[in-house]
Amino acid sequence: MFRIMFFQPCIPPNTGNAIRLAANTGCELHLIEPLGFTMTDAQVKRAGLDYHEMANVTVHPDLATAWDRLRPERVFAFTAHARSRHTDIAYQPGDVLLFGPEPTGLPDDVVTDPHITGTVRIPMLPDRRSHNLANATSIAIYEAWRQNDFAGAV
């Protein structure tokens, strides 16, 4: 399945929602430290409900460690500044969909990292800053999964 990666997430409920998304779609969720919360934070637990045990979640101390462990073939960085739309990509199982922290998005050094295959955006109206992190992740994962005929779903 696909791999969701949050670079230094800050808002606990968004990560909790991503845990639930990962559990319901079979995706892996990779979190890159530092986190703006602890994984025992009540808001993370509340948003993830009882899905924590069903989700495959890994916390990495930094991006370099994540690259070493995952050895991804393709990584798509989601940013409002990209030209390609999320629907322009032909997603493949194993792809990493990378999202930045809620207040700032991905920093330039991450977007230009040599592991990044391409940058993509989710369309929205002009003069808007960004989507909610959990919502953007859901939009992207369901498009990738749809393209792969919702493999494994009932």
Side-chain angles (χ1 to χ4, degrees), residues 4-70:
I4 301 164
M5 184 180 284
F6 283 180
F7 180 79
Q8 301 178 352
C10 298
I11 300 175
N14 282 335
T15 298
N17 287 328
I19 289 169
R20 191 172 179 177
L21 176 67
N24 283 320
T25 59
C27 294
E28 298 173 6
L29 176 60
H30 296 270
L31 306 175
I32 310 304
E33 292 182 321
L35 309 180
F37 50 86
T38 66
M39 290 301 287
T40 58
D41 188 302
Q43 291 178 312
V44 174
K45 297 274 188 200
R46 188 176 307 117
L49 295 174
D50 57 347
Y51 288 87
H52 291 264
E53 294 79 31
M54 293 182 256
N56 183 348
V57 180
T58 305
V59 179
H60 302 277
D62 53 51
L63 192 55
T65 301
W67 295 145
D68 286 344
R69 290 184 184 159
L70 293 175

Side-chain angles (χ1 to χ4, degrees), residues 71-132:
R71 302 204 179 280
E73 288 186 30
R74 299 181 351 145
V75 179
F76 296 99
F78 282 73
T79 171
H81 308 291
R83 293 179 190 235
S84 297
R85 294 181 184 158
H86 74 292
T87 53
D88 295 337
I89 305 302
Y91 297 98
Q92 301 169 9
D95 284 351
V96 174
L97 283 61
L98 172 63
F99 299 86
E102 295 86 342
T104 60
L106 291 168
D108 290 339
D109 64 317
V110 173
V111 173
T112 59
D113 184 291
H115 291 90
I116 304 299
T117 303
T119 58
V120 294
R121 65 181 170 85
I122 298 171
M124 59 186 165
L125 294 175
D127 302 319
R128 294 345 187 246
R129 189 180 51 210
S130 65
H131 290 280
N132 168 279

